[in-house]
């Protein structure tokens, strides 16, 4: 990815750390009591000297690097934003109705209004306003530190979505749309889909 100063893999599992060291990547061990991946990244960010931290979680292994570059660019250009994430349009009724596919509703300025596992907005497929949230984030370092200090919020707990903690506490999240659908791992059967996409990309 262009512009990345450093790539660090954060984990509390020594087996993962050993594998990472085996292929020469950088790894930082964290506490083992983090409830979310973002809380884990917030711990690591306290040890780094950087203005922007990109959180790439293991359940989003396939994505277009240009999407992340656009996310970082938007964060740099808009001082009002604290976090930027991504989405792509949904066309499948099955995906729209699935609780394993997180949906995001976005306003006209490209700011997140809400995230849910429920099919929102009602009629979204028909109106072209149904979007799958891509669980990749670009944070300002101070915003990530703030997030890490906040207690879990009621909507976060109800929906099991950590980004709602930020929204409930008034943090503004920008959303970048990608035309390249990503493949997330939400249930074990999704692994086969990821493997198929990876095989195609290597051919």
């Amino acid at each position: 990815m262009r512009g990345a100063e450093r790539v660090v893999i954060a984990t509390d599992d020594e087996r993962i750390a050993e594998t990472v060291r085996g292929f020469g990547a950088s790894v930082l061990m964290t506490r083992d009591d983090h409830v979310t991946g973002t809380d884990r990244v917030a711990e690591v960010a306290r040890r780094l000297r950087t203005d922007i931290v990109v959180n790439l979680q293991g359940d989003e292994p396939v994505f277009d690097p240009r999407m992340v570059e656009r996310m970082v660019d938007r964060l740099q250009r808009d001082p009002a934003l604290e976090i930027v994430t991504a989405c792509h349009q949904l066309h499948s009724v099955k995906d729209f109705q699935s609780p394993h596919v997180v949906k995001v509703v976005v306003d006209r300025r490209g700011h997140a209004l809400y995230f849910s596992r429920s099919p929102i907005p009602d009629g979204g497929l028909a109106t072209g306003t149904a979007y799958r949230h891509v669980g990749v984030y670009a944070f300002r370092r101070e915003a990530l530190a703030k997030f890490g200090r906040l207690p879990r919020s009621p909507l976060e707990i109800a929906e099991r979505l950590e980004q709602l903690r930020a929204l409930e506490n008034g943090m503004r999240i920008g959303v970048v749309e990608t035309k390249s659908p990503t493949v997330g791992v939400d249930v074990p059967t999704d692994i086969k889909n990821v493997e198929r996409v990876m095989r195609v990309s290597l051919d």
Side-chain angles (χ1 to χ4, degrees):
M1 229 176 317
R2 292 181 300 175
E5 294 181 4
R6 184 181 180 188
V7 176
V8 175
I9 296 176
T11 183
D12 63 3
D13 191 318
E14 185 56 44
R15 293 168 299 177
I16 295 175
E18 184 177 349
T19 300
V20 170
R21 296 186 192 106
F23 57 77
S26 177
V27 61
L28 288 176
M29 299 299 294
T30 68
R31 304 196 320 264
D32 62 2
D33 60 346
H34 291 302
V35 179
T36 74
T38 304
D39 290 302
R40 186 182 310 282
V41 174
E43 179 191 339
V44 170
R46 290 195 292 269
R47 312 181 210 174
L48 305 177
R49 292 185 179 182
T50 183
D51 295 328
I52 293 176
V53 178
V54 176
N55 178 3
L56 305 173
Q57 299 192 26
D59 58 359
E60 290 283 354
V62 180
F63 57 87
D64 186 345
R66 291 172 296 183
M67 175 189 76
V68 180
E69 292 167 8
R70 289 177 56 218
M71 289 166 52
V72 171
D73 180 65
R74 183 167 178 199
L75 195 60
Q76 291 173 325
R77 288 187 293 104
D78 189 344
L81 293 177
E82 297 175 272
I83 307 167
V84 174
T85 189
C87 72
H88 63 77
Q89 193 169 6
L90 282 172
H91 303 283
S92 161
V93 173
K94 178 181 177 182
D95 288 343
F96 187 54
Q97 295 179 341
S98 171
H100 302 300
V101 176
V102 177
K103 276 68 70 174
V104 57
V105 176
V106 183
D107 70 14
R108 293 190 175 188
R109 295 176 297 171
H111 299 154
L113 293 172
Y114 194 67
F115 299 85
S116 181
R117 297 182 181 278
S118 300
I120 59 169
D122 187 32
L125 286 179
T127 58
T129 55
Y131 291 94
R132 174 183 180 263
H133 173 234
V134 180
V136 176
Y137 304 89
F139 287 87
R140 298 193 191 279
R141 187 175 184 275
E142 58 270 24
L144 184 54
K146 174 183 175 181
F147 180 96
R149 292 191 299 267
L150 292 169
R152 298 187 72 205
S153 64
L155 289 176
E156 174 189 10
I157 294 169
E159 292 268 17
R160 305 187 311 284
L161 296 173
E162 63 214 68
Q163 60 271 36
L164 289 174
R165 186 190 317 175
L167 284 186
E168 283 190 84
N169 284 279
M171 300 177 76
R172 184 168 290 182
I173 303 177
V175 183
V176 169
E177 182 180 356
T178 176
K179 300 300 182 182
S180 302
T182 60
V183 182
V185 179
D186 301 295
V187 293
T189 53
D190 290 336
I191 295 174
K192 292 183 179 179
N193 296 331
V194 171
E195 290 174 341
R196 183 172 63 254
V197 172
M198 288 182 169
R199 282 196 299 270
V200 171
S201 64
L202 291 173
D203 290 341

